[in-house]
Amino acid sequence: MLIQRHQLAYFLPNTFTALNMGCGFIAILYAFHGEFYKACMFIVLGAIFDSVDGRVARWTNTQSAFGEQFDSLSDLVSFGVSPAIVYYFRFLTETGRPGMVACFFFMLCGALRLARFNANIDKNKSDYFQGLPIPGGATAAISLIFLSFTFPEIAQYKPLTVAYLLFYAILMVSNIPFPSFKKSEWVRTHKKQVLMIIFLIFASLFINEEIMIPTIISFYVVASLIYWLTHLKKFEGIFDWSDEPETELK
């Protein structure tokens, strides 16, 4: 019985990871059929599953190298491949090769972001992500799609949609610090305020997700960039460990 419970504990977080990947796959299928709202909502659902699997692994003390790699592969499907395809079919089918290249570049930057994170996972002890996390990049991509439902004229400005996607792709592989609330001291010492903020966010998403999802991710990115630009000295050398050469295994 104890062995079965132990095996179940390892199985549970990987189940959420698989559900995350499944959401990305379903989003791609919906994109092929032109059902972009459903595709975007499945990417959002995948992000929810992605936020759960790591917490479940920590709660059950079942973190493993396998789980980390599986999670990254799942994230690449759900937040790299899936949003790139959905974005392409929504905005860039008429642009030909430039649109294909832009979407591939977004997917590539997402893969590089995940590879860099995995390579430095044991070194990163800061309260900041090195570059925009790939779920944030995916959320930014589908945010413009959500906005295009309310403002259809967005789809007519092809150079704008290409530049928007490239901008967020570059943010993912940049060295710009983005806050990681998992390790935030303020979050640990202001739990009631954090719960209230989370409640307000979910309430606003329930009222109008097509406007609030773009608003939330834009606020996070813009606020992070402003804070970085106004505190450059504070962040000097914060990610220098990522450039250290790997030691040879003996």
Side-chain angles (χ1 to χ4, degrees):
M1 181 64 70
L2 290 177
I3 295 178
Q4 291 179 348
R5 290 181 179 177
H6 185 68
Q7 292 174 340
L8 178 62
Y10 274 97
F11 180 75
L12 191 59
N14 291 324
T15 300
F16 285 103
T17 303
L19 288 172
N20 173 25
M21 182 182 290
C23 287
F25 176 72
I26 294 172
I28 293 172
L29 297 182
Y30 274 125
F32 287 149
H33 293 282
E35 299 188 51
F36 300 110
Y37 178 82
K38 291 181 180 179
C40 290
M41 289 306 296
F42 267 98
I43 293 175
V44 172
L45 182 60
I48 295 174
F49 286 134
D50 181 58
S51 67
V52 170
D53 59 3
R55 288 176 172 82
V56 171
R58 288 190 291 271
W59 290 339
T60 57
N61 194 27
T62 55
Q63 302 99 317
S64 65
F66 171 83
E68 292 172 359
Q69 299 305 318
F70 184 34
D71 182 64
S72 291
L73 291 172
S74 175
D75 287 351
L76 181 58
V77 173
S78 296
F79 308 130
V81 179
S82 177
I85 291 176
V86 177
Y87 197 93
Y88 175 78
F89 280 105
R90 176 59 178 172
F91 294 127
L92 304 178
T93 53
E94 299 175 1
T95 62
R97 293 179 182 177
M100 295 180 186
V101 172
C103 291
F104 171 75
F105 183 71
F106 178 88
M107 183 185 68
L108 175 63
C109 288
L112 293 173
R113 172 67 175 77
L114 289 169
R116 183 177 65 180
F117 177 81
N118 285 349
N120 300 314
I121 194 169
D122 295 326
K123 302 176 185 177
N124 186 4
K125 304 300 181 183
S126 74
D127 297 334
Y128 295 88
F129 295 113
Q130 185 180 9
L132 181 67
I134 189 172
T139 303
I142 65 173
S143 290
L144 196 63
I145 299 175
F146 277 127
L147 281 179
S148 71
F149 299 145
T150 305
F151 307 101
E153 58 272 15
I154 291 176
Q156 300 175 6
Y157 298 98
K158 304 301 181 184
L160 173 64
T161 56
V162 171
Y164 179 90
L165 191 66
L166 295 178
F167 172 72
Y168 279 98
I170 292 171
L171 284 184
M172 287 193 290
V173 294
S174 71
N175 286 325
I176 298 173
F178 286 86
S180 170
F181 300 111
K182 295 178 182 179
K183 304 177 183 179
S184 172
E185 182 65 28
W186 188 88
V187 171
R188 287 195 293 268
T189 56
H190 298 80
K191 293 183 179 180
K192 292 183 179 179
Q193 291 88 332
V194 171
L195 288 174
M196 180 59 66
I197 292 172
I198 293 175
F199 172 79
L200 292 175
I201 289 175
F202 276 100
S204 64
L205 291 175
F206 181 78
I207 294 171
N208 192 336
E209 71 281 359
E210 293 181 10
I211 297 297
M212 291 311 303
I213 289 178
T215 300
I216 292 169
I217 188 61
S218 297
F219 176 81
Y220 173 73
V221 171
V222 172
S224 299
L225 291 176
I226 292 175
Y227 188 78
W228 169 63
L229 290 172
T230 55
H231 296 77
L232 290 176
K233 291 185 177 180
K234 173 183 177 180
F235 295 113
E236 285 183 0
I238 188 174
F239 300 125
D240 283 351
W241 44 261
S242 64
D243 297 325
E244 295 176 0
E246 295 289 337
T247 58
E248 183 179 355
L249 295 178
K250 298 294 186 180

